[in-house]
Amino acid sequence: GAFADISGITIPYADALAQQGVVNFGAPYPSQKWFDDRAPYSWSLFPDGTNVVRSGAASLTGRMPPQSTAEYGGPSVNGKPRVFAVLAPENADYQESAEVFRDTIVAKGYPVVRYLKYKLDINSMPNQASSLIAQMKDAGVTTVICACDPVMLALGLTPKANEQGFEPEWVTSGLAFVEQDIVGQLIDSRQWSHACGISYNAESEPQGRSFPYAAFKSVKPNDEPAF
């Protein structure tokens, strides 16, 4: 008989299930090719990484052109020409999409001065973040394009940014629910008040307008909704 697994919410597990011919649901954000290679077994309610890359690049070029100035960050960066860093987990499945994104925006003239990776290891996230923040601050980054999970943001990047006086724009792609209040409450509000980006969970805009976009407010347990 046929088998199905609705708990395939990590890429390695979903891959193993597909190799055994088990229909599975939940792989978070691998590329479109990843799903094509595992058809018809792997499915997900999360968008594929190729969709995220295309949507994120379209949003960026429409709202933050290469010669634009920062406006969502703190006083130390606002008004300055935008200087970009791209940050994503080091896993090969995510780097495939991150590299496409980087190549796409660099080809359009974006000044990307740092292309950084991090390990999905909770114990080392604070130390990793300390180094990543220092590198971006030293490079004069104003705008961090962060394909980051909420744990790295909450435990590493935002507290270390506070420690080092780094207050950039945080551009997100709506990954891992970082744009949702219940998750945003876990992330430092001083930094997350400088976050903006597309959302896969926001209310859709009228036909003919752009992909749902949010400039986040400071998020605390008793705040109004973030959008």
Side-chain angles (χ1 to χ4, degrees), residues 11-177:
I11 292 176
Y13 184 45
D15 177 58
L17 291 170
Q19 299 306 321
Q20 296 297 317
V22 177
V23 175
N24 57 89
F25 299 85
Y29 313 112
S31 69
Q32 181 178 354
K33 182 178 183 301
W34 187 94
F35 284 105
D36 289 344
D37 290 345
R38 290 155 183 82
Y41 301 109
S42 291
W43 303 81
S44 184
L45 294 176
F46 296 107
D48 65 64
T50 306
N51 181 297
V52 173
V53 164
R54 290 171 178 168
S55 299
S59 173
L60 192 73
T61 56
R63 294 184 168 100
M64 294 183 176
Q67 289 77 37
S68 60
T69 57
E71 58 179 308
Y72 298 122
S76 64
V77 304
N78 284 345
K80 293 182 178 180
R82 285 186 168 113
V83 176
F84 294 84
V86 176
L87 177 59
E90 68 178 10
N91 304 46
D93 294 304
Y94 294 142
Q95 284 297 311
E96 179 183 348
S97 295
E99 289 170 6
V100 171
F101 180 84
R102 178 197 59 184
D103 293 345
T104 299
I105 65 171
V106 167
K108 293 180 179 295
Y110 280 82
V112 180
V113 297
R114 288 290 183 273
Y115 179 64
L116 301 169
K117 308 174 185 179
Y118 71 92
K119 184 180 297 185
L120 290 169
D121 172 48
I122 292 177
N123 292 328
S124 67
M125 280 180 176
N127 287 337
Q128 291 185 73
S130 183
S131 174
L132 293 167
I133 293 295
Q135 291 180 62
M136 291 189 287
K137 184 178 180 182
D138 289 346
V141 170
T142 66
T143 309
V144 182
I145 301 170
C146 193
C148 306
D149 69 279
V151 179
M152 181 53 153
L153 285 164
L155 296 184
L157 291 169
T158 56
K160 294 302 180 182
N162 284 339
E163 287 180 14
Q164 298 185 34
F166 184 51
E167 45 187 6
E169 301 174 304
W170 296 94
V171 179
T172 80
S173 297
L175 303 175
F177 307 109

